[in-house]
């Protein structure tokens, strides 16, 4: 992808390294607005259709906040049951109508490839906020942006790094998209740790191998984290299992706490998780006893998501070169942490 303006963002497969670095450069410029050090009203009068037909907290609010911070307005639809899709309306018809009310649409849907189907009927750019177990491109971009920043602070680069992905790699769409992005870099080592039944899909493994990267597949956590620069955990995606009983078989299978981290990881291994983490006792894949650990990057990830989504809105609507021209002061008290 070399042209963002007016384009849909549906899959990481649309992107190349040049496009990724363009997104990251614009995202970095968004930092003072996210920190409320400055304001920009570059999207004053523009409307975001925020369509979330599957439960979401961070992604939905992050999209809305990102658009608002650029001066735009947000219209939301939440839940399948509150939309005309529950009456049998097609995604195409929904797109034709709602795109006339919006300048850009962010959409999440529980069915794989549904956002692509919706985009075929849309008259405005559509950004995929997650489509079933298929992809989550904005999450992958914010994850990659976080990895780049975290490694840079340690004098490292993405090329040559070692990443361990742990948990539900079958249904976890975030690891599918992130793996595809990492395939664009050089000499990345992958360690994929999951129950055999929840292993990474073959098509993702094929992508990794065809890109020439090293890959280890195992169902054992202990002994397989020692070389990892990045430790990326995922929760059991219980909503994608055929039954709750089936999902319960795997809940709590892999857990990380301070003691396990200290015994199995390097002292500077970065801990990531796309959130939400399942903090219920029977799951608890990422323990609260790591909350104050300096290598826990999960909240820095979430902060970076705001920057990435602001950048995508600016690029798809063609205002990335106009941000500073529409700056104005912040008139209220604000004390934000650094991003």
């Amino acid at each position: 992808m070399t042209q963002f303006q007016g384009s849909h963002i549906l899959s990481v497969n649309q992107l190349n390294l040049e496009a990724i670095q363009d997104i990251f450069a614009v995202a970095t410029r968004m930092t003072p607005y996210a920190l409320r050090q400055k304001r920009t009203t570059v999207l004053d009068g523009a409307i975001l259709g925020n369509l979330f037909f599957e439960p979401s907290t961070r992604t939905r609010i992050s999209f809305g906040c990102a658009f608002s911070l650029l001066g735009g307005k947000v219209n939301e639809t939440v839940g399948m049951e509150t939309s005309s899709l529950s009456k049998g309306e097609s995604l195409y018809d929904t797109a034709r109508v709602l795109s006339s009310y919006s300048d850009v649409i962010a959409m999440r849907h529980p069915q794989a490839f549904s956002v692509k189907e919706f985009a075929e009927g849309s008259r405005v750019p559509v950004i995929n906020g997650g489509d079933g177990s298929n992809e989550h491109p904005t999450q992958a971009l914010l994850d990659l942006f976080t990895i780049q920043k975290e490694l840079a602070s340690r004098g490292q680069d993405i090329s040559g790094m070692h990443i361990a992905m742990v948990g539900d790699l079958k249904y976890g769409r975030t690891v599918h998209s992130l793996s595809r992005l990492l395939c664009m870099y050089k000499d990345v080592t992958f360690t994929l740790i999951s129950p055999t039944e929840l292993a990474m899909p073959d098509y993702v493994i094929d992508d990794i191998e065809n890109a020439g990267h090293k890959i280890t597949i195992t169902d054992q956590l202990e002994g397989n984290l020692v070389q990892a620069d990045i430790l990326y955990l995922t929760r059991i995606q219980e909503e994608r299992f055929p039954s709750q009983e089936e999902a319960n078989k795997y809940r709590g299978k892999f857990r990380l706490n301070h003691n396990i981290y200290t015994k199995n990881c390097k002292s500077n291994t970065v801990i990531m998780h796309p959130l939400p983490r399942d903090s219920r006792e029977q799951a608890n894949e990422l323990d609260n006893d790591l909350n104050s650990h300096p290598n826990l990057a999960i909240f820095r990830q979430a902060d970076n998501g705001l920057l990435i989504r602001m950048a995508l809105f600016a690029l798809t609507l063609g205002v990335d070169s106009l941000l500073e021209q529409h700056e104005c002061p912040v008139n209220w008290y604000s004390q934000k942490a650094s991003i």
Side-chain angles (χ1 to χ4, degrees):
M1 171 182 282
T2 57
Q3 175 65 39
F4 285 99
Q5 184 173 316
S7 298
H8 303 308
I9 308 294
L10 304 177
S11 169
V12 296
N13 292 333
Q14 298 172 244
L15 305 173
N16 55 28
L17 278 177
E18 181 182 2
I20 291 168
Q21 292 308 317
D22 286 344
I23 294 169
F24 288 0
V26 177
T28 299
R29 288 170 53 209
M30 295 297 181
T31 303
Y33 311 126
L35 292 177
R36 315 303 197 269
Q37 295 168 349
K38 301 177 182 178
R39 294 167 56 209
T40 181
T41 59
V42 70
L43 289 183
D44 182 31
I47 297 174
L48 165 67
N50 215 25
L51 311 181
F52 275 71
F53 300 115
E54 185 179 56
S56 172
T57 302
R58 261 159 307 278
T59 304
R60 176 175 61 84
I61 294 176
S62 176
F63 269 116
C65 183
F67 205 76
S68 296
L69 285 172
L70 295 174
K73 304 294 184 182
V74 181
N75 289 336
E76 282 198 333
T77 292
V78 179
M80 194 81 73
E81 69 282 355
T82 62
S83 77
S84 290
L85 293 173
S86 65
K87 303 175 183 178
E89 184 174 56
S90 69
L91 287 169
Y92 180 87
D93 285 2
T94 302
R96 289 290 292 177
V97 174
L98 295 187
S99 61
S100 70
Y101 305 155
S102 309
D103 296 288
V104 62
I105 290 172
M107 180 179 175
R108 172 173 286 188
H109 194 282
Q111 295 177 359
F113 303 105
S114 54
V115 180
K116 180 178 183 295
E117 181 182 349
F118 179 92
E120 291 171 356
S122 177
R123 291 173 274 183
V124 300
V126 176
I127 300 177
N128 186 356
D131 58 333
S133 60
N134 179 41
E135 279 209 60
H136 197 344
T138 64
Q139 179 71 46
L141 285 166
L142 74 89
D143 288 341
L144 190 68
F145 189 50
T146 301
I147 290 170
Q148 179 175 283
K149 291 172 71 173
E150 295 289 326
L151 291 180
S153 71
R154 295 159 168 76
Q156 294 178 261
D157 188 34
I158 294 174
S159 291
M161 77 162 187
H162 185 153
I163 184 169
M165 296 179 172
V166 180
D168 183 353
L169 307 185
K170 178 179 180 179
Y171 295 114
R173 59 192 171 198
T174 64
V175 291
H176 302 166
S177 294
L178 177 58
S179 295
R180 288 169 168 173
L181 289 182
L182 290 173
C183 284
M184 300 180 192
Y185 293 81
K186 297 179 180 179
D187 302 321
V188 177
T189 298
F190 291 79
T191 299
L192 307 179
I193 305 171
S194 70
T196 303
E197 299 85 352
L198 300 182
M200 187 75 85
D202 289 341
Y203 67 87
V204 180
I205 293 173
D206 289 344
D207 287 344
I208 295 171
E209 291 179 336
N210 291 337
H213 300 300
K214 299 175 184 177
I215 183 169
T216 298
I217 301 172
T218 179
D219 62 357
Q220 297 297 315
L221 189 69
E222 189 169 352
N224 288 299
L225 302 178
V226 66
Q227 298 300 323
D229 300 301
I230 303 291
L231 174 54
Y232 191 105
L233 295 107
T234 65
R235 68 179 177 88
I236 299 300
Q237 305 285 307
E238 60 183 59
E239 64 272 23
R240 312 213 187 281
F241 282 77
S243 69
Q244 185 64 54
E245 292 73 21
E246 183 70 17
N248 289 342
K249 294 179 184 178
Y250 306 104
R251 181 176 285 117
K253 180 75 173 179
F254 297 116
R255 299 187 180 194
L256 187 73
N257 57 32
H258 194 281
N259 183 54
I260 294 172
Y261 177 87
T262 302
K263 286 183 176 179
N264 290 277
C265 298
K266 297 190 297 185
S267 61
N268 65 346
T269 298
V270 178
I271 306 166
M272 297 178 62
H273 191 297
L275 299 178
R277 54 177 166 169
D278 190 341
S279 296
R280 291 172 289 187
E281 184 177 353
Q282 64 269 33
N284 197 27
E285 73 267 8
L286 182 54
D287 199 286
N288 287 331
D289 68 2
L290 285 162
N291 281 358
S292 61
H293 199 290
N295 295 336
L296 185 75
I298 61 175
F299 302 118
R300 295 193 288 273
Q301 269 178 275
D303 289 343
N304 288 331
L306 189 59
L307 303 179
I308 290 294
R309 290 170 179 130
M310 291 174 74
L312 290 175
F313 284 136
L315 286 162
T316 56
L317 294 178
V319 298
D320 52 293
S321 64
L322 305 175
L323 299 171
E324 291 80 8
Q325 296 178 33
H326 293 266
E327 284 185 351
C328 49
V330 173
N331 298 318
W332 60 88
Y333 171 78
S334 180
Q335 188 176 6
K336 293 285 182 182
S338 296
I339 294 179

